[in-house]
Amino acid sequence: AVLSSEREMAARRLKALEEASFKGLHKDHSKAVAEVTQLSVQCLEMADEAKERITELTRTQKELTDLQANVGKIEAERRDALNQLQELKGNIRVMCRVRPLLHRERRSSIYALKLS
């Protein structure tokens, strides 16, 4: 009789421990499911943000390419304008260059008239 009561008590304890363990496991499982759900939502939000950033980056890269092409055109125009300016300055200098009088020109009467 003592053995059977001890067995019953041990069985009750085992059942209580199993129930407590099951409740603890169920609680841990519920927490894990909630955490996984929250992480899934965060992952989706981060994926959306990454897509937006990729779109913005693509747009910025296209804008940069367009600006670089525009800079190339403007630089070519600037070089052409500078070359024209330098050519015009050179032509003006050539048109206005005064050469020294030759020896025979100094003796001529025209030179003497200008000095008087």
Side-chain angles (χ1 to χ4, degrees):
V2 175
L3 263 153
S4 68
S5 68
E6 284 181 14
R7 252 189 212 167
E8 284 179 26
M9 285 177 65
R12 279 188 228 147
R13 282 186 196 161
L14 181 62
K15 188 174 182 178
L17 284 173
E18 286 175 350
E19 286 177 6
S21 177
F22 178 74
K23 286 180 183 177
L25 287 175
H26 182 68
K27 190 182 275 186
D28 289 345
H29 178 264
S30 296
K31 286 180 183 178
V33 167
E35 188 175 342
V36 165
T37 304
Q38 182 182 9
L39 290 173
S40 295
V41 169
Q42 287 178 352
C43 185
L44 290 173
E45 289 172 353
M46 291 173 78
D48 289 341
E49 184 179 340
K51 286 179 185 177
E52 290 174 7
R53 288 187 179 186
I54 288 171
T55 302
E56 182 180 341
L57 179 62
T58 303
R59 187 178 65 247
T60 303
Q61 285 175 332
K62 183 185 180 313
E63 185 179 334
L64 177 63
T65 303
D66 293 345
L67 288 173
Q68 285 174 337
N70 194 21
V71 165
K73 290 176 187 175
I74 290 173
E75 184 66 22
E77 289 175 12
R78 184 196 64 80
R79 279 193 308 267
D80 290 343
L82 180 62
N83 289 340
Q84 287 177 354
L85 177 66
Q86 288 176 340
E87 183 179 326
L88 289 172
K89 282 183 179 179
N91 289 343
I92 291 171
R93 283 189 204 119
V94 169
M95 300 276 291
C96 296
R97 187 179 303 151
V98 178
R99 66 170 174 78
L101 294 174
L102 298 175
H103 187 62
R104 67 172 183 216
E105 290 173 338
R106 287 185 199 158
R107 292 187 196 162
S108 75
S109 59
I110 297 174
Y111 180 71
L113 289 175
K114 286 185 180 178
L115 291 177
S116 324

